[in-house]
């Protein structure tokens, strides 16, 4: 008769103990964890410029495949994504700065550029995260009104640039107006201003536009101009909740900005971004659906006689003819959440393009409220 050695007995006891512990943990786990609703029941969320169609199926699969790895740090995966982005942008990996959404990069870059005071020139109404960061460390804001088409007034912005200007900020398409600047005009403006100061071009929504290639200025960074271009995976890629974005900037600027960052891209966001970049067909289909939604909303506004800015982002900005607070309340009563006030255009409203079903409800609500 064979007898178990002491070593084998200890191994058996250790294994049995681990199995019992695992069973105990499993018994404490809920059978299913219900999803928490982010938007209150019965309401359509069109106020935050989110992508209602969601991320690529490949991005979802990548996140699911890595759920068991969320206890690990994501350093190796970040290096891989940075290399992919550098190849896409035609720059070296040292030109790419990855962040927890492009918002973190706007904050950190703004803190660096504003550290010595000076001024930041930007459009109004516009997106003010970089401007606000510069103001908090001592810089002054020089806000230049949009032109009659609600586009950046490049001539007026050029006049506003002074020796104390530390940055010119351009959001293209602009938030909240959704307008783009004619590409040749913007390219000439940015090149000229970059000889005088730093130019930060925020292209968060440009991948939603009809012609990304004609409008993007990412190549100016590779050519050595004093320009930063920001992109995000929150919009066309549908990963707003994963908080991942990046800038294309000079390596020496990236090195200076990095210590001011307080967050980092998370593991699931990194793998989702990598997978989404590899699925251009899905991204193209989203662009088509967003454009169809924009076109249909413009047709409705034409029918109702409402003025609007010609849109190229994932949202439309239009004049309601009444205070925005009043319009917001009336639309909420119909189950639709619309954008916040954007001074000084306080009788205008920003509406994000939703799914086809959401937009059908929205059109009916607009007809009722404005018709």
């Amino acid at each position: 008769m064979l007898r178990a050695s002491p070593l084998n007995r200890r191994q058996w006891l250790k294994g049995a103990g681990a199995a019992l512990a695992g069973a105990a943990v499993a018994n404490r786990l809920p059978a299913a964890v219900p999803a928490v609703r982010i938007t209150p029941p019965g309401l359509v969320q069109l106020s935050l410029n989110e992508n209602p169609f969601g991320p690529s199926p490949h991005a979802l699969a990548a996140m699911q495949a890595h759920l068991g790895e969320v206890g690990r740090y994501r350093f190796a995966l970040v290096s891989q994504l940075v290399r992919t982005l550098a190849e896409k942008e035609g720059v070296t990996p040292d030109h790419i700065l990855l962040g927890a959404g492009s918002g973190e990069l706007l904050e950190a870059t703004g803190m660096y550029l504003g550290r010595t005071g000076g001024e930041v020139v930007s459009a109004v109404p516009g997106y003010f995260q970089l401007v606000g960061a510069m103001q908090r460390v001592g810089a002054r804001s020089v806000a230049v009104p949009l032109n009659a088409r609600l586009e950046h007034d490049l001539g007026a912005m050029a006049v506003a640039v002074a020796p104390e200007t530390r940055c010119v900020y351009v959001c293209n398409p602009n938030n909240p107006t959704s307008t783009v600047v004619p590409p040749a005009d913007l390219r000439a403006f940015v090149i000229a201003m970059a000889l005088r100061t730093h130019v930060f071009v925020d292209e968060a929504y440009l991948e939603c536009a009809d012609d990304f290639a004609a409008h993007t200025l990412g190549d100016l960074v590779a050519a050595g101009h004093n320009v930063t271009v920001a992109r995000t995976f929150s919009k066309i890629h549908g990963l707003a909740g994963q908080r991942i974005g990046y800038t294309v900037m000079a390596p020496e600027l990236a090195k200076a900005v990095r210590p001011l960052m307080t967050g980092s891209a998370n593991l699931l966001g990194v793998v989702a971004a990598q997978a989404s970049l590899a699925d251009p067909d899905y991204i193209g289909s989203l662009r088509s659906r967003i454009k169809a939604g924009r076109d249909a909303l413009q047709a409705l506004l034409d029918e109702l006689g409402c003025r609007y800015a010609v849109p190229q982002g994932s949202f439309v900005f239009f004049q309601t003819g009444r205070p925005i607070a009043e319009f917001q309340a009336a639309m909420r009563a119909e189950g639709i959440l619309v954008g916040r006030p954007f001074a000084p255009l306080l009788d205008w409203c920003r509406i994000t393009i939703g799914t086809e079903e959401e937009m059908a409800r929205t059109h009916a609500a607009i007809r009722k409220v404005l018709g």
Side-chain angles (χ1 to χ4, degrees):
M1 178 178 176
L2 295 174
R3 296 179 59 188
S5 69
L7 177 62
N8 286 338
R9 187 179 294 113
R10 285 197 297 271
Q11 290 175 326
W12 180 87
L13 288 171
K14 181 179 180 182
L20 289 171
V25 171
N27 289 335
R28 292 200 303 270
L29 292 175
V33 179
V36 177
R37 291 188 63 93
I38 297 176
T39 302
L43 294 177
V44 174
Q45 175 57 273
L46 300 182
S47 69
L48 298 176
N49 288 352
E50 298 162 323
N51 180 342
F53 306 110
S56 158
H58 293 287
L60 291 173
M63 287 188 283
Q64 290 168 347
H66 287 81
L67 286 175
E69 296 292 310
V70 295
R72 305 284 185 181
Y73 290 113
R74 76 288 176 268
F75 300 122
L77 297 173
V78 166
S79 298
Q80 179 184 353
L81 178 59
V82 167
R83 290 193 297 270
T84 299
L85 293 171
E87 182 177 356
K88 172 180 178 288
E89 300 290 348
V91 295
T92 71
D94 290 338
H95 285 81
I96 303 294
L97 192 56
L98 203 63
S102 61
E104 183 191 21
L105 297 160
L106 289 165
E107 291 278 349
T109 307
M111 290 174 63
Y112 177 76
L113 294 174
R115 73 196 188 285
T116 57
E119 296 177 348
V120 52
V121 174
S122 65
V124 61
Y127 191 66
F128 291 108
Q129 192 161 11
L130 180 138
V131 173
M134 292 187 68
Q135 287 180 301
R136 286 194 297 276
V137 294
R140 297 176 301 279
S141 171
V142 178
V144 179
L146 301 173
N147 63 22
R149 297 182 299 276
L150 298 187
E151 301 167 355
H152 285 71
D153 189 332
L154 300 182
M157 291 180 74
V159 170
V161 174
E164 53 271 20
T165 302
R166 300 292 180 266
C167 180
V168 175
Y169 173 73
V170 177
C171 186
N172 193 54
N174 187 43
N175 183 11
T177 61
S178 201
T179 52
V180 292
V181 180
D185 295 347
L186 182 59
R187 179 170 290 268
F189 169 81
V190 169
I191 291 173
M193 293 304 102
L195 295 173
R196 302 170 62 186
T197 188
H198 189 76
V199 183
F200 192 109
V201 184
D202 188 345
E203 295 186 353
Y205 298 97
L206 191 56
E207 290 171 295
C208 301
D210 295 342
D211 192 348
F212 170 85
H215 289 84
T216 184
L217 298 179
D219 63 293
L220 295 184
V221 183
H225 295 276
N226 191 16
V227 176
T228 291
V229 172
R231 307 200 197 284
T232 182
F233 287 89
S234 295
K235 306 306 176 184
I236 194 72
H237 292 274
L239 293 169
Q242 290 298 346
R243 310 309 305 131
I244 184 165
Y246 67 100
T247 51
V248 188
M249 55 174 44
E252 58 272 20
L253 179 58
K255 185 177 181 180
V257 169
R258 187 175 286 109
L260 300 176
M261 298 171 64
T262 58
S264 59
N266 69 83
L267 186 148
L268 295 183
V270 169
V271 299
Q274 186 80 53
S276 189
L277 290 169
D279 192 6
D281 290 342
Y282 180 77
I283 300 304
S285 72
L286 292 185
R287 187 176 298 110
S288 296
R289 294 177 77 178
I290 290 169
K291 175 176 170 51
R294 285 198 315 254
D295 290 347
L297 183 52
Q298 289 176 84
L300 173 62
L301 296 172
D302 284 335
E303 177 188 331
L304 296 176
C306 295
R307 182 187 174 200
Y308 58 88
V310 178
Q312 282 291 298
S314 59
F315 49 95
V316 176
F317 193 60
F318 65 97
Q319 193 167 26
T320 66
R322 62 189 68 184
I324 182 60
E326 180 183 322
F327 183 74
Q328 281 179 310
M331 290 294 286
R332 186 183 178 96
E334 299 300 320
I336 312 296
L337 301 178
V338 299
R340 65 187 184 275
F342 293 96
L345 303 181
L346 295 178
D347 63 342
W348 287 67
C349 177
R350 187 190 71 186
I351 288 187
T352 306
I353 301 303
T355 65
E356 290 79 5
E357 294 77 14
E358 290 171 339
M359 293 312 292
R361 283 188 60 184
T362 301
H363 285 207
I366 291 174
R367 285 183 184 280
K368 182 175 180 179
V369 172
L370 295 183

